[in-house]
Coordinates of all heavy atoms in Angstrom, one line a residue:
P1140 N -57.8 -19.5 1.2 CA -58.6 -20.6 0.9 C -59.4 -20.4 -0.5 O -59.5 -21.5 -1.2 CB -59.5 -20.6 2.0 CG -58.8 -20.1 3.2 CD -58.0 -19.1 2.5
E1141 N -59.7 -19.2 -0.9 CA -60.5 -19.1 -2.2 C -59.5 -19.5 -3.3 O -60.0 -19.8 -4.5 CB -60.7 -17.5 -2.4 CG -61.9 -17.0 -1.7 CD -61.7 -16.9 -0.2 OE1 -60.4 -17.0 0.3 OE2 -62.6 -16.8 0.5
Q1142 N -58.2 -19.5 -3.2 CA -57.4 -19.9 -4.3 C -56.8 -21.4 -4.2 O -56.0 -21.8 -5.0 CB -56.1 -19.0 -4.3 CG -56.5 -17.6 -4.6 CD -55.2 -16.7 -4.3 OE1 -54.6 -16.6 -3.2 NE2 -54.8 -16.1 -5.5
F1143 N -57.4 -22.2 -3.3 CA -56.9 -23.6 -3.2 C -57.1 -24.3 -4.5 O -56.4 -25.2 -4.8 CB -57.6 -24.2 -2.0 CG -57.2 -23.9 -0.6 CD1 -57.9 -24.2 0.5 CD2 -56.0 -23.1 -0.4 CE1 -57.4 -23.9 1.8 CE2 -55.6 -22.8 0.8 CZ -56.3 -23.1 1.9
S1144 N -58.1 -24.0 -5.2 CA -58.4 -24.7 -6.4 C -57.3 -24.5 -7.4 O -56.9 -25.5 -8.2 CB -59.8 -24.4 -7.1 OG -59.8 -22.9 -7.3
S1145 N -56.7 -23.3 -7.3 CA -55.5 -23.0 -8.3 C -54.4 -23.9 -7.9 O -53.6 -24.1 -8.8 CB -55.2 -21.5 -8.2 OG -56.3 -20.7 -8.8
L1146 N -54.2 -24.1 -6.6 CA -53.2 -25.0 -6.3 C -53.1 -26.3 -7.0 O -52.1 -26.8 -7.4 CB -53.1 -25.3 -4.7 CG -52.8 -24.2 -3.7 CD1 -53.1 -24.6 -2.4 CD2 -51.5 -23.6 -4.0
R1147 N -54.3 -26.8 -7.1 CA -54.4 -28.1 -7.8 C -54.4 -27.9 -9.4 O -53.6 -28.6 -10.1 CB -55.9 -28.7 -7.6 CG -55.8 -29.5 -6.2 CD -57.2 -29.9 -5.8 NE -57.7 -30.7 -6.9 CZ -57.6 -32.2 -7.0 NH1 -56.8 -32.6 -6.1 NH2 -58.2 -32.7 -7.9
K1148 N -55.1 -26.8 -9.9 CA -55.1 -26.7 -11.3 C -53.6 -26.5 -11.8 O -53.3 -26.9 -12.9 CB -56.0 -25.3 -11.6 CG -56.1 -24.9 -12.9 CD -57.0 -23.8 -13.2 CE -56.9 -23.4 -14.8 NZ -57.5 -22.1 -14.9
Y1149 N -52.8 -25.7 -11.1 CA -51.5 -25.4 -11.6 C -50.4 -26.4 -11.1 O -49.2 -26.2 -11.0 CB -51.1 -24.0 -11.3 CG -52.0 -23.1 -12.1 CD1 -53.1 -22.5 -11.7 CD2 -51.7 -22.9 -13.6 CE1 -53.9 -21.6 -12.4 CE2 -52.5 -22.0 -14.3 CZ -53.5 -21.4 -13.8 OH -54.4 -20.6 -14.5
K1150 N -50.8 -27.4 -10.2 CA -50.0 -28.3 -9.6 C -48.8 -27.6 -8.8 O -47.7 -27.9 -9.0 CB -49.3 -29.2 -10.7 CG -50.4 -30.0 -11.5 CD -49.7 -31.1 -12.3 CE -50.6 -32.3 -12.7 NZ -51.9 -31.9 -13.2
L1151 N -49.3 -26.8 -7.8 CA -48.4 -26.1 -6.9 C -48.3 -26.7 -5.6 O -49.4 -27.2 -5.2 CB -48.7 -24.6 -6.9 CG -48.9 -23.9 -8.3 CD1 -49.6 -22.5 -8.1 CD2 -47.4 -23.6 -8.9
S1152 N -47.2 -26.7 -5.0 CA -47.1 -27.3 -3.6 C -47.2 -26.1 -2.6 O -46.5 -25.0 -2.9 CB -45.8 -28.0 -3.4 OG -45.6 -29.0 -4.3
Q1153 N -48.1 -26.2 -1.6 CA -48.3 -25.1 -0.7 C -47.6 -25.5 0.7 O -47.7 -26.6 1.2 CB -49.9 -25.1 -0.4 CG -50.3 -24.1 0.7 CD -49.8 -22.7 0.3 OE1 -50.0 -22.3 -0.8 NE2 -49.3 -22.1 1.5
T1154 N -47.0 -24.4 1.2 CA -46.5 -24.5 2.7 C -47.7 -24.5 3.7 O -48.6 -23.8 3.6 CB -45.7 -23.3 2.9 OG1 -44.5 -23.4 2.1 CG2 -45.3 -23.3 4.4
V1155 N -47.6 -25.5 4.5 CA -48.6 -25.6 5.6 C -48.0 -24.6 6.7 O -46.9 -24.9 7.3 CB -48.8 -27.0 6.2 CG1 -49.6 -26.9 7.5 CG2 -49.4 -27.8 5.1
I1156 N -48.6 -23.5 6.9 CA -48.0 -22.6 7.9 C -48.3 -22.7 9.4 O -47.6 -22.2 10.1 CB -48.4 -21.1 7.6 CG1 -49.8 -20.8 7.6 CG2 -47.8 -20.8 6.1 CD1 -50.2 -19.3 7.5
D1157 N -49.2 -23.6 9.7 CA -49.6 -24.0 11.0 C -50.6 -25.1 11.0 O -51.2 -25.4 10.0 CB -49.8 -22.9 12.0 CG -51.2 -22.3 11.7 OD1 -52.0 -22.6 10.8 OD2 -51.6 -21.3 12.6
F1158 N -50.9 -25.6 12.3 CA -52.0 -26.6 12.4 C -53.3 -26.2 11.7 O -53.9 -27.0 11.0 CB -52.1 -27.0 13.8 CG -53.0 -28.2 14.0 CD1 -52.9 -29.4 13.4 CD2 -54.1 -27.9 14.8 CE1 -53.9 -30.5 13.6 CE2 -55.1 -29.0 15.1 CZ -54.9 -30.2 14.5
F1159 N -53.8 -25.1 12.1 CA -55.1 -24.6 11.7 C -55.2 -24.5 10.2 O -56.2 -24.8 9.5 CB -55.5 -23.2 12.4 CG -55.8 -23.5 13.8 CD1 -55.0 -23.0 14.7 CD2 -56.9 -24.2 14.3 CE1 -55.1 -23.2 16.1 CE2 -57.2 -24.4 15.6 CZ -56.3 -24.0 16.5
Y1160 N -54.1 -24.1 9.6 CA -54.0 -23.9 8.1 C -54.1 -25.3 7.5 O -54.7 -25.4 6.4 CB -52.8 -23.1 7.7 CG -52.8 -22.7 6.3 CD1 -53.7 -21.9 5.8 CD2 -51.7 -23.1 5.4 CE1 -53.6 -21.4 4.5 CE2 -51.8 -22.8 4.1 CZ -52.7 -21.9 3.6 OH -52.6 -21.5 2.4
A1161 N -53.4 -26.2 8.2 CA -53.5 -27.6 7.7 C -54.9 -28.1 7.7 O -55.5 -28.7 6.7 CB -52.6 -28.5 8.5
Q1162 N -55.7 -27.7 8.7 CA -57.1 -28.1 8.7 C -57.9 -27.5 7.6 O -58.6 -28.2 7.0 CB -57.7 -27.6 10.1 CG -57.3 -28.4 11.3 CD -58.0 -27.9 12.6 OE1 -58.1 -26.8 12.8 NE2 -58.4 -28.9 13.5
S1163 N -57.6 -26.3 7.4 CA -58.3 -25.6 6.3 C -58.0 -26.1 5.0 O -58.8 -26.3 4.1 CB -58.1 -24.1 6.5 OG -57.6 -23.4 5.4

Side-chain angles (χ1 to χ4, degrees):
E1141 283 72 15
Q1142 295 174 297
F1143 286 169
S1144 62
S1145 296
L1146 291 174
R1147 281 173 55 84
K1148 180 172 174 194
Y1149 294 100
K1150 297 190 161 49
L1151 303 168
S1152 301
Q1153 173 60 44
T1154 293
V1155 174
I1156 62 169
D1157 69 0
F1158 178 64
F1159 289 107
Y1160 191 61
Q1162 284 182 319
S1163 123

